[in-house]
Amino acid sequence: MKVRHLNCGTMRPWRTPEGLVCHVLLIETPNGLALVDSGLGLLDRKYPGKRFGPARHYVRPVFDDAEAAVSQVRALGHEPADVRDIVLTHFDADHIGGLADFPHARVHLTAAEHQIAYHPATLKERERYRPASRAHGPHIVAHDPGAGDAWRGFASAIELTDIAPGIVLIGLPGHSRGHAAVAVDAGDHWVLHVGDSFYHHGQVDGSGDVPRALTLMERVIAQDWKRVRDNHDRLAEMWAAHEPDLLLVNAHCPTLLRNAGMKGADQG
């Protein structure tokens, strides 16, 4: 499958010199287009308070319509209806903002994330999972990664063959209750998108140049900080292994997005 790496939303949190991106994968499957996450959408600019909430004052999203996934899909010569499936790492606003721009797409996520996003249990979760982002009634397809097979040491993983063979949803909770990673077979290598399992490349590559503001934000948002730290360790091990057929990316690190782009605008 052919994979493109897109920035579908720039954010500029305080004391984060490089800012953040919303790293989205656009996949050309045999059955149509699929996205991994959807970044910020067109409605976010119109209704930032209802859809993004007070967090926008800290992360300071740009809300550039040209960066929206639907705008980039059109710029590549496709129609929004060509996007038949969207696989979410989790249901935070900066990952689901574009869902309403693809109202006919099936939206895949873990059953645990679906449950808490639609039925938040605490005040923090009610603020985190805002009803306006799902008001268009997305077609949800919930999956249980625990019902699948292991994938490269991750025990909880399920192949989403209803989209296409070679797309794997991997349970990786910590940042949220049902957070997941998504692995995509791009032919000569796999792309592993780990969402918000870490924020900055320095947390896994050993460079140690992580802005303190990001680690503080990560800890405040995390549903289970111990699991987040465990995920850091597991992904650092994968990074250190330098597996030649694996490209590890996350949702928000500009460096990892640039590095993915250096491998070519088209992957696969």
Side-chain angles (χ1 to χ4, degrees), residues 80-143:
D82 296 334
V83 176
R84 299 183 180 181
D85 295 277
I86 301 173
V87 187
L88 297 178
T89 59
H90 60 300
F91 217 80
D92 280 349
D94 51 330
H95 297 255
I96 65 169
L99 294 186
D101 300 326
F102 304 98
H104 302 296
R106 298 182 300 175
V107 178
H108 304 259
L109 73 170
T110 69
E113 190 72 1
H114 176 229
Q115 172 65 25
I116 200 63
Y118 276 68
H119 305 284
T122 67
L123 178 62
K124 179 179 178 180
E125 287 167 344
R126 286 192 291 273
E127 180 58 41
R128 182 173 190 170
Y129 303 112
R130 305 181 68 81
S133 296
R134 58 179 188 270
H136 66 288
H139 177 185
I140 297 291
V141 184
H143 302 271

Short mmCIF file of all heavy atoms in Angstrom, two decimals, residues 80-143:
data_model
loop_
_atom_site.label_atom_id
_atom_site.label_comp_id
_atom_site.label_asym_id
_atom_site.label_seq_id
_atom_site.Cartn_x
_atom_site.Cartn_y
_atom_site.Cartn_z
N PRO A 80 -13.40 13.75 -1.17
CA PRO A 80 -13.57 13.32 0.22
C PRO A 80 -14.25 11.95 0.35
O PRO A 80 -13.90 11.17 1.24
CB PRO A 80 -14.43 14.44 0.82
CG PRO A 80 -14.10 15.64 0.01
CD PRO A 80 -13.88 15.14 -1.39
N ALA A 81 -15.18 11.65 -0.55
CA ALA A 81 -15.87 10.36 -0.50
C ALA A 81 -14.94 9.19 -0.78
O ALA A 81 -15.29 8.03 -0.48
CB ALA A 81 -17.04 10.35 -1.49
N ASP A 82 -13.76 9.46 -1.37
CA ASP A 82 -12.79 8.39 -1.60
C ASP A 82 -12.20 7.86 -0.31
O ASP A 82 -11.65 6.76 -0.28
CB ASP A 82 -11.67 8.88 -2.52
CG ASP A 82 -12.15 9.26 -3.91
OD1 ASP A 82 -13.19 8.72 -4.34
OD2 ASP A 82 -11.49 10.10 -4.55
N VAL A 83 -12.27 8.67 0.76
CA VAL A 83 -11.78 8.23 2.07
C VAL A 83 -12.89 7.40 2.72
O VAL A 83 -13.89 7.93 3.20
CB VAL A 83 -11.41 9.42 2.98
CG1 VAL A 83 -11.00 8.94 4.37
CG2 VAL A 83 -10.28 10.22 2.34
N ARG A 84 -12.71 6.10 2.70
CA ARG A 84 -13.75 5.20 3.17
C ARG A 84 -13.57 4.80 4.63
O ARG A 84 -14.54 4.39 5.28
CB ARG A 84 -13.77 3.94 2.30
CG ARG A 84 -14.08 4.25 0.84
CD ARG A 84 -14.17 2.99 0.00
NE ARG A 84 -14.48 3.30 -1.38
CZ ARG A 84 -14.64 2.37 -2.34
NH1 ARG A 84 -14.53 1.08 -2.02
NH2 ARG A 84 -14.91 2.74 -3.57
N ASP A 85 -12.33 4.93 5.14
CA ASP A 85 -12.06 4.49 6.51
C ASP A 85 -11.09 5.44 7.18
O ASP A 85 -10.16 5.95 6.53
CB ASP A 85 -11.47 3.07 6.52
CG ASP A 85 -12.44 2.03 6.00
OD1 ASP A 85 -13.29 1.58 6.79
OD2 ASP A 85 -12.35 1.68 4.81
N ILE A 86 -11.30 5.68 8.47
CA ILE A 86 -10.38 6.46 9.30
C ILE A 86 -10.10 5.63 10.54
O ILE A 86 -11.02 5.23 11.26
CB ILE A 86 -10.98 7.82 9.69
CG1 ILE A 86 -11.33 8.63 8.43
CG2 ILE A 86 -10.00 8.60 10.57
CD1 ILE A 86 -12.08 9.93 8.72
N VAL A 87 -8.82 5.35 10.79
CA VAL A 87 -8.40 4.60 11.96
C VAL A 87 -7.83 5.58 12.97
O VAL A 87 -6.89 6.32 12.65
CB VAL A 87 -7.36 3.52 11.59
CG1 VAL A 87 -7.06 2.64 12.81
CG2 VAL A 87 -7.83 2.67 10.43
N LEU A 88 -8.38 5.59 14.16
CA LEU A 88 -7.96 6.54 15.19
C LEU A 88 -7.02 5.91 16.19
O LEU A 88 -7.25 4.79 16.66
CB LEU A 88 -9.18 7.07 15.94
CG LEU A 88 -10.20 7.88 15.14
CD1 LEU A 88 -11.36 8.28 16.04
CD2 LEU A 88 -9.56 9.12 14.52
N THR A 89 -5.98 6.66 16.55
CA THR A 89 -5.16 6.23 17.69
C THR A 89 -5.91 6.48 18.99
O THR A 89 -5.80 5.72 19.94
CB THR A 89 -3.81 6.96 17.71
OG1 THR A 89 -4.03 8.38 17.81
CG2 THR A 89 -3.00 6.64 16.46
N HIS A 90 -6.70 7.57 19.03
CA HIS A 90 -7.55 7.86 20.19
C HIS A 90 -8.48 9.02 19.83
O HIS A 90 -8.42 9.52 18.70
CB HIS A 90 -6.73 8.15 21.44
CG HIS A 90 -5.80 9.32 21.34
ND1 HIS A 90 -4.78 9.41 20.42
CD2 HIS A 90 -5.73 10.49 22.06
CE1 HIS A 90 -4.12 10.54 20.57
NE2 HIS A 90 -4.69 11.23 21.55
N PHE A 91 -9.31 9.43 20.77
CA PHE A 91 -10.43 10.32 20.45
C PHE A 91 -10.21 11.74 20.93
O PHE A 91 -11.17 12.50 21.10
CB PHE A 91 -11.72 9.75 21.06
CG PHE A 91 -12.94 9.96 20.18
CD1 PHE A 91 -13.20 9.11 19.11
CD2 PHE A 91 -13.84 10.97 20.44
CE1 PHE A 91 -14.32 9.29 18.31
CE2 PHE A 91 -14.97 11.17 19.65
CZ PHE A 91 -15.21 10.32 18.59
N ASP A 92 -8.98 12.18 21.13
CA ASP A 92 -8.72 13.56 21.50
C ASP A 92 -9.02 14.50 20.33
O ASP A 92 -8.95 14.11 19.15
CB ASP A 92 -7.28 13.74 21.96
CG ASP A 92 -7.05 13.28 23.39
OD1 ASP A 92 -8.04 13.01 24.10
OD2 ASP A 92 -5.88 13.19 23.79
N ALA A 93 -9.31 15.77 20.66
CA ALA A 93 -9.80 16.73 19.67
C ALA A 93 -8.85 16.91 18.49
O ALA A 93 -9.30 17.07 17.35
CB ALA A 93 -10.04 18.08 20.35
N ASP A 94 -7.54 16.90 18.74
CA ASP A 94 -6.59 17.14 17.67
C ASP A 94 -6.37 15.92 16.78
O ASP A 94 -5.62 15.98 15.81
CB ASP A 94 -5.26 17.64 18.23
CG ASP A 94 -4.72 16.76 19.35
OD1 ASP A 94 -5.52 16.15 20.07
OD2 ASP A 94 -3.49 16.69 19.51
N HIS A 95 -7.06 14.83 17.09
CA HIS A 95 -6.98 13.62 16.28
C HIS A 95 -8.29 13.33 15.54
O HIS A 95 -8.29 12.57 14.58
CB HIS A 95 -6.61 12.42 17.15
CG HIS A 95 -5.26 12.55 17.77
ND1 HIS A 95 -4.15 11.85 17.34
CD2 HIS A 95 -4.83 13.33 18.80
CE1 HIS A 95 -3.10 12.19 18.06
NE2 HIS A 95 -3.48 13.09 18.96
N ILE A 96 -9.38 13.94 16.00
CA ILE A 96 -10.69 13.64 15.42
C ILE A 96 -11.35 14.86 14.77
O ILE A 96 -12.46 14.77 14.26
CB ILE A 96 -11.65 13.07 16.48
CG1 ILE A 96 -11.95 14.11 17.57
CG2 ILE A 96 -11.07 11.80 17.09
CD1 ILE A 96 -13.08 13.71 18.49
N GLY A 97 -10.67 16.00 14.76
CA GLY A 97 -11.28 17.21 14.24
C GLY A 97 -11.73 17.09 12.80
O GLY A 97 -12.70 17.72 12.38
N GLY A 98 -11.04 16.27 12.01
CA GLY A 98 -11.38 16.12 10.60
C GLY A 98 -12.46 15.10 10.32
O GLY A 98 -12.86 14.94 9.15
N LEU A 99 -12.97 14.40 11.33
CA LEU A 99 -13.96 13.36 11.07
C LEU A 99 -15.18 13.90 10.35
O LEU A 99 -15.72 13.27 9.42
CB LEU A 99 -14.40 12.70 12.38
CG LEU A 99 -13.37 11.88 13.16
CD1 LEU A 99 -14.05 11.19 14.34
CD2 LEU A 99 -12.68 10.87 12.27
N ALA A 100 -15.66 15.07 10.76
CA ALA A 100 -16.87 15.64 10.16
C ALA A 100 -16.68 16.00 8.69
O ALA A 100 -17.67 16.14 7.96
CB ALA A 100 -17.32 16.86 10.95
N ASP A 101 -15.44 16.13 8.24
CA ASP A 101 -15.17 16.44 6.83
C ASP A 101 -15.27 15.20 5.95
O ASP A 101 -15.26 15.32 4.72
CB ASP A 101 -13.77 17.06 6.68
CG ASP A 101 -13.62 18.35 7.46
OD1 ASP A 101 -14.63 19.09 7.56
OD2 ASP A 101 -12.52 18.62 7.97
N PHE A 102 -15.38 14.03 6.58
CA PHE A 102 -15.53 12.76 5.86
C PHE A 102 -16.72 12.00 6.47
O PHE A 102 -16.56 10.94 7.07
CB PHE A 102 -14.26 11.92 5.97
CG PHE A 102 -13.01 12.63 5.49
CD1 PHE A 102 -12.16 13.24 6.39
CD2 PHE A 102 -12.70 12.67 4.13
CE1 PHE A 102 -11.01 13.90 5.96
CE2 PHE A 102 -11.55 13.32 3.69
CZ PHE A 102 -10.71 13.94 4.60
N PRO A 103 -17.93 12.54 6.33
CA PRO A 103 -19.07 12.00 7.07
C PRO A 103 -19.46 10.58 6.68
O PRO A 103 -20.15 9.90 7.45
CB PRO A 103 -20.20 12.99 6.74
CG PRO A 103 -19.80 13.61 5.44
CD PRO A 103 -18.31 13.69 5.49
N HIS A 104 -19.04 10.11 5.51
CA HIS A 104 -19.43 8.77 5.07
C HIS A 104 -18.37 7.71 5.42
O HIS A 104 -18.60 6.52 5.18
CB HIS A 104 -19.68 8.77 3.56
CG HIS A 104 -20.73 9.75 3.14
ND1 HIS A 104 -22.04 9.65 3.54
CD2 HIS A 104 -20.65 10.86 2.37
CE1 HIS A 104 -22.74 10.64 3.03
NE2 HIS A 104 -21.92 11.41 2.32
N ALA A 105 -17.25 8.13 5.98
CA ALA A 105 -16.18 7.18 6.31
C ALA A 105 -16.52 6.39 7.57
O ALA A 105 -17.13 6.91 8.51
CB ALA A 105 -14.86 7.92 6.50
N ARG A 106 -16.10 5.15 7.58
CA ARG A 106 -16.16 4.36 8.81
C ARG A 106 -15.01 4.79 9.72
O ARG A 106 -13.90 5.01 9.24
CB ARG A 106 -16.05 2.86 8.51
CG ARG A 106 -17.19 2.31 7.66
CD ARG A 106 -17.04 0.81 7.44
NE ARG A 106 -15.79 0.49 6.75
CZ ARG A 106 -15.37 -0.76 6.52
NH1 ARG A 106 -16.10 -1.80 6.93
NH2 ARG A 106 -14.24 -0.98 5.87
N VAL A 107 -15.27 4.88 11.01
CA VAL A 107 -14.27 5.35 11.98
C VAL A 107 -13.93 4.19 12.90
O VAL A 107 -14.77 3.71 13.66
CB VAL A 107 -14.79 6.55 12.78
CG1 VAL A 107 -13.75 6.99 13.81
CG2 VAL A 107 -15.15 7.70 11.85
N HIS A 108 -12.68 3.73 12.82
CA HIS A 108 -12.24 2.56 13.57
C HIS A 108 -11.42 3.00 14.78
O HIS A 108 -10.55 3.86 14.68
CB HIS A 108 -11.36 1.67 12.68
CG HIS A 108 -12.03 1.24 11.41
ND1 HIS A 108 -12.59 -0.01 11.25
CD2 HIS A 108 -12.24 1.90 10.22
CE1 HIS A 108 -13.10 -0.11 10.03
NE2 HIS A 108 -12.90 1.03 9.39
N LEU A 109 -11.67 2.38 15.92
CA LEU A 109 -10.92 2.64 17.14
C LEU A 109 -11.12 1.48 18.08
O LEU A 109 -11.91 0.56 17.80
CB LEU A 109 -11.35 3.96 17.80
CG LEU A 109 -12.70 4.03 18.52
CD1 LEU A 109 -12.81 5.35 19.29
CD2 LEU A 109 -13.86 3.91 17.56
N THR A 110 -10.40 1.48 19.20
CA THR A 110 -10.57 0.40 20.16
C THR A 110 -11.91 0.54 20.87
O THR A 110 -12.43 1.65 21.04
CB THR A 110 -9.45 0.38 21.21
OG1 THR A 110 -9.57 1.51 22.07
CG2 THR A 110 -8.07 0.36 20.56
N ALA A 111 -12.45 -0.58 21.28
CA ALA A 111 -13.72 -0.56 22.01
C ALA A 111 -13.59 0.21 23.31
O ALA A 111 -14.53 0.90 23.73
CB ALA A 111 -14.18 -2.00 22.28
N ALA A 112 -12.43 0.12 23.96
CA ALA A 112 -12.22 0.85 25.21
C ALA A 112 -12.25 2.35 24.99
O ALA A 112 -12.82 3.10 25.80
CB ALA A 112 -10.89 0.42 25.84
N GLU A 113 -11.65 2.82 23.90
CA GLU A 113 -11.65 4.26 23.61
C GLU A 113 -13.05 4.73 23.22
O GLU A 113 -13.49 5.82 23.62
CB GLU A 113 -10.65 4.58 22.50
CG GLU A 113 -10.40 6.06 22.29
CD GLU A 113 -9.58 6.71 23.40
OE1 GLU A 113 -9.17 6.01 24.36
OE2 GLU A 113 -9.34 7.93 23.31
N HIS A 114 -13.76 3.92 22.46
CA HIS A 114 -15.13 4.27 22.10
C HIS A 114 -16.00 4.41 23.34
O HIS A 114 -16.77 5.38 23.47
CB HIS A 114 -15.71 3.19 21.18
CG HIS A 114 -17.13 3.40 20.81
ND1 HIS A 114 -18.08 2.42 20.90
CD2 HIS A 114 -17.77 4.51 20.38
CE1 HIS A 114 -19.26 2.90 20.53
NE2 HIS A 114 -19.10 4.16 20.20
N GLN A 115 -15.87 3.49 24.27
CA GLN A 115 -16.68 3.52 25.48
C GLN A 115 -16.44 4.79 26.29
O GLN A 115 -17.39 5.48 26.69
CB GLN A 115 -16.37 2.28 26.34
CG GLN A 115 -17.00 2.27 27.72
CD GLN A 115 -18.52 2.22 27.69
OE1 GLN A 115 -19.09 1.74 26.72
NE2 GLN A 115 -19.16 2.69 28.75
N ILE A 116 -15.19 5.14 26.53
CA ILE A 116 -14.91 6.28 27.39
C ILE A 116 -15.17 7.60 26.66
O ILE A 116 -15.58 8.59 27.28
CB ILE A 116 -13.46 6.23 27.94
CG1 ILE A 116 -13.35 7.11 29.18
CG2 ILE A 116 -12.44 6.59 26.89
CD1 ILE A 116 -14.22 6.67 30.34
N ALA A 117 -14.98 7.64 25.34
CA ALA A 117 -15.23 8.87 24.60
C ALA A 117 -16.71 9.21 24.53
O ALA A 117 -17.09 10.38 24.56
CB ALA A 117 -14.65 8.75 23.19
N TYR A 118 -17.53 8.19 24.44
CA TYR A 118 -18.98 8.40 24.36
C TYR A 118 -19.65 8.40 25.73
O TYR A 118 -20.77 8.91 25.87
CB TYR A 118 -19.61 7.35 23.45
CG TYR A 118 -19.53 7.70 21.99
CD1 TYR A 118 -18.31 7.72 21.32
CD2 TYR A 118 -20.67 8.01 21.27
CE1 TYR A 118 -18.23 8.05 19.97
CE2 TYR A 118 -20.61 8.34 19.92
CZ TYR A 118 -19.38 8.37 19.28
OH TYR A 118 -19.31 8.70 17.95
N HIS A 119 -18.98 7.84 26.72
CA HIS A 119 -19.53 7.79 28.08
C HIS A 119 -18.45 8.14 29.09
O HIS A 119 -18.03 7.32 29.90
CB HIS A 119 -20.10 6.39 28.38
CG HIS A 119 -21.11 5.93 27.38
ND1 HIS A 119 -22.40 6.40 27.34
CD2 HIS A 119 -20.99 5.06 26.34
CE1 HIS A 119 -23.06 5.83 26.35
NE2 HIS A 119 -22.23 5.01 25.72
N PRO A 120 -17.94 9.40 29.05
CA PRO A 120 -16.85 9.80 29.96
C PRO A 120 -17.28 9.67 31.42
O PRO A 120 -18.41 10.00 31.78
CB PRO A 120 -16.58 11.24 29.56
CG PRO A 120 -17.81 11.70 28.83
CD PRO A 120 -18.38 10.50 28.17
N ALA A 121 -16.34 9.19 32.23
CA ALA A 121 -16.68 8.85 33.61
C ALA A 121 -16.31 9.92 34.62
O ALA A 121 -16.83 9.92 35.74
CB ALA A 121 -15.99 7.53 33.98
N THR A 122 -15.42 10.83 34.27
CA THR A 122 -14.95 11.83 35.22
C THR A 122 -15.07 13.22 34.60
O THR A 122 -15.28 13.37 33.39
CB THR A 122 -13.48 11.59 35.59
OG1 THR A 122 -12.66 11.81 34.43
CG2 THR A 122 -13.26 10.16 36.09
N LEU A 123 -14.92 14.24 35.44
CA LEU A 123 -14.97 15.62 34.95
C LEU A 123 -13.87 15.86 33.93
O LEU A 123 -14.09 16.50 32.89
CB LEU A 123 -14.84 16.59 36.13
CG LEU A 123 -14.83 18.08 35.77
CD1 LEU A 123 -16.16 18.47 35.11
CD2 LEU A 123 -14.59 18.93 37.02
N LYS A 124 -12.68 15.36 34.20
CA LYS A 124 -11.56 15.51 33.27
C LYS A 124 -11.89 14.87 31.92
O LYS A 124 -11.61 15.44 30.86
CB LYS A 124 -10.30 14.88 33.86
CG LYS A 124 -9.07 14.96 32.98
CD LYS A 124 -7.88 14.33 33.67
CE LYS A 124 -6.63 14.36 32.79
NZ LYS A 124 -5.46 13.74 33.45
N GLU A 125 -12.51 13.70 31.94
CA GLU A 125 -12.84 13.02 30.69
C GLU A 125 -13.99 13.72 29.97
O GLU A 125 -14.01 13.76 28.74
CB GLU A 125 -13.18 11.56 30.98
CG GLU A 125 -11.95 10.74 31.34
CD GLU A 125 -12.27 9.39 31.93
OE1 GLU A 125 -13.44 9.18 32.37
OE2 GLU A 125 -11.37 8.54 31.99
N ARG A 126 -14.93 14.28 30.71
CA ARG A 126 -16.03 15.02 30.05
C ARG A 126 -15.50 16.27 29.35
O ARG A 126 -16.03 16.68 28.31
CB ARG A 126 -17.11 15.37 31.08
CG ARG A 126 -17.96 14.18 31.50
CD ARG A 126 -19.19 14.61 32.27
NE ARG A 126 -18.87 15.15 33.58
CZ ARG A 126 -18.73 14.42 34.67
NH1 ARG A 126 -18.86 13.09 34.61
NH2 ARG A 126 -18.47 14.98 35.84
N GLU A 127 -14.47 16.87 29.91
CA GLU A 127 -13.85 18.01 29.25
C GLU A 127 -13.02 17.56 28.05
O GLU A 127 -12.96 18.24 27.02
CB GLU A 127 -12.96 18.76 30.24
CG GLU A 127 -12.24 19.97 29.66
CD GLU A 127 -13.21 20.99 29.07
OE1 GLU A 127 -14.28 21.25 29.67
OE2 GLU A 127 -12.88 21.53 27.99
N ARG A 128 -12.41 16.41 28.18
CA ARG A 128 -11.53 15.89 27.13
C ARG A 128 -12.31 15.44 25.90
O ARG A 128 -11.89 15.69 24.76
CB ARG A 128 -10.73 14.71 27.70
CG ARG A 128 -9.71 14.09 26.76
CD ARG A 128 -8.88 13.06 27.50
NE ARG A 128 -7.76 12.60 26.71
CZ ARG A 128 -6.76 11.85 27.17
NH1 ARG A 128 -6.76 11.48 28.45
NH2 ARG A 128 -5.77 11.49 26.38
N TYR A 129 -13.42 14.75 26.12
CA TYR A 129 -14.20 14.19 25.01
C TYR A 129 -15.46 15.02 24.82
O TYR A 129 -16.49 14.77 25.42
CB TYR A 129 -14.53 12.73 25.30
CG TYR A 129 -13.31 11.88 25.55
CD1 TYR A 129 -13.08 11.34 26.82
CD2 TYR A 129 -12.39 11.63 24.55
CE1 TYR A 129 -11.96 10.56 27.05
CE2 TYR A 129 -11.26 10.85 24.78
CZ TYR A 129 -11.05 10.32 26.04
OH TYR A 129 -9.94 9.56 26.27
N ARG A 130 -15.37 15.99 23.97
CA ARG A 130 -16.42 17.00 23.82
C ARG A 130 -17.47 16.54 22.79
O ARG A 130 -17.12 16.12 21.68
CB ARG A 130 -15.80 18.33 23.41
CG ARG A 130 -14.72 18.79 24.38
CD ARG A 130 -14.13 20.13 24.00
NE ARG A 130 -15.08 21.21 24.15
CZ ARG A 130 -15.36 21.80 25.30
NH1 ARG A 130 -14.75 21.42 26.41
NH2 ARG A 130 -16.23 22.78 25.35
N PRO A 131 -18.76 16.61 23.13
CA PRO A 131 -19.82 16.11 22.25
C PRO A 131 -19.84 16.75 20.87
O PRO A 131 -20.23 16.11 19.90
CB PRO A 131 -21.10 16.43 23.03
CG PRO A 131 -20.68 16.52 24.46
CD PRO A 131 -19.29 17.08 24.43
N ALA A 132 -19.42 18.01 20.76
CA ALA A 132 -19.48 18.69 19.47
C ALA A 132 -18.66 17.97 18.40
O ALA A 132 -18.99 18.00 17.21
CB ALA A 132 -18.99 20.13 19.61
N SER A 133 -17.60 17.29 18.81
CA SER A 133 -16.71 16.63 17.84
C SER A 133 -17.34 15.39 17.23
O SER A 133 -16.85 14.89 16.21
CB SER A 133 -15.38 16.27 18.50
OG SER A 133 -14.69 17.43 18.90
N ARG A 134 -18.39 14.88 17.85
CA ARG A 134 -19.07 13.70 17.31
C ARG A 134 -20.53 13.98 16.98
O ARG A 134 -21.31 13.06 16.73
CB ARG A 134 -18.97 12.53 18.30
CG ARG A 134 -19.57 12.80 19.67
CD ARG A 134 -19.45 11.57 20.57
NE ARG A 134 -20.18 11.74 21.81
CZ ARG A 134 -19.68 12.25 22.93
NH1 ARG A 134 -18.41 12.63 22.96
NH2 ARG A 134 -20.43 12.35 24.02
N ALA A 135 -20.91 15.26 16.96
CA ALA A 135 -22.30 15.63 16.74
C ALA A 135 -22.80 15.23 15.36
O ALA A 135 -24.01 15.09 15.14
CB ALA A 135 -22.47 17.13 16.94
N HIS A 136 -21.89 15.04 14.40
CA HIS A 136 -22.31 14.65 13.05
C HIS A 136 -22.66 13.18 12.96
O HIS A 136 -23.12 12.70 11.90
CB HIS A 136 -21.20 14.97 12.04
CG HIS A 136 -19.96 14.17 12.22
ND1 HIS A 136 -19.09 14.38 13.27
CD2 HIS A 136 -19.43 13.16 11.48
CE1 HIS A 136 -18.07 13.54 13.15
NE2 HIS A 136 -18.26 12.79 12.10
N GLY A 137 -22.50 12.42 14.06
CA GLY A 137 -22.88 11.01 14.08
C GLY A 137 -21.98 10.11 13.27
O GLY A 137 -22.44 9.42 12.35
N PRO A 138 -20.68 10.07 13.58
CA PRO A 138 -19.78 9.22 12.80
C PRO A 138 -20.15 7.75 12.89
O PRO A 138 -20.69 7.29 13.90
CB PRO A 138 -18.41 9.49 13.44
CG PRO A 138 -18.71 9.99 14.82
CD PRO A 138 -19.99 10.75 14.69
N HIS A 139 -19.86 7.03 11.82
CA HIS A 139 -20.09 5.58 11.75
C HIS A 139 -18.93 4.88 12.46
O HIS A 139 -17.87 4.68 11.88
CB HIS A 139 -20.19 5.14 10.29
CG HIS A 139 -20.38 3.67 10.12
ND1 HIS A 139 -20.39 3.06 8.89
CD2 HIS A 139 -20.53 2.66 11.03
CE1 HIS A 139 -20.55 1.76 9.03
NE2 HIS A 139 -20.63 1.50 10.32
N ILE A 140 -19.15 4.51 13.71
CA ILE A 140 -18.09 3.94 14.54
C ILE A 140 -18.01 2.43 14.34
O ILE A 140 -19.03 1.72 14.33
CB ILE A 140 -18.33 4.24 16.03
CG1 ILE A 140 -18.29 5.76 16.29
CG2 ILE A 140 -17.32 3.50 16.90
CD1 ILE A 140 -16.94 6.39 16.14
N VAL A 141 -16.78 1.93 14.19
CA VAL A 141 -16.51 0.50 14.18
C VAL A 141 -15.50 0.24 15.29
O VAL A 141 -14.34 0.64 15.19
CB VAL A 141 -15.95 0.02 12.83
CG1 VAL A 141 -15.78 -1.50 12.85
CG2 VAL A 141 -16.85 0.45 11.68
N ALA A 142 -15.96 -0.39 16.38
CA ALA A 142 -15.10 -0.62 17.55
C ALA A 142 -14.45 -2.00 17.45
O ALA A 142 -15.09 -2.97 17.03
CB ALA A 142 -15.92 -0.50 18.83
N HIS A 143 -13.18 -2.05 17.84
CA HIS A 143 -12.41 -3.29 17.75
C HIS A 143 -11.79 -3.62 19.11
O HIS A 143 -11.47 -2.71 19.89
CB HIS A 143 -11.29 -3.16 16.73
CG HIS A 143 -11.74 -2.82 15.34
ND1 HIS A 143 -12.09 -3.77 14.41
CD2 HIS A 143 -11.93 -1.61 14.74
CE1 HIS A 143 -12.45 -3.17 13.28
NE2 HIS A 143 -12.35 -1.87 13.46
#
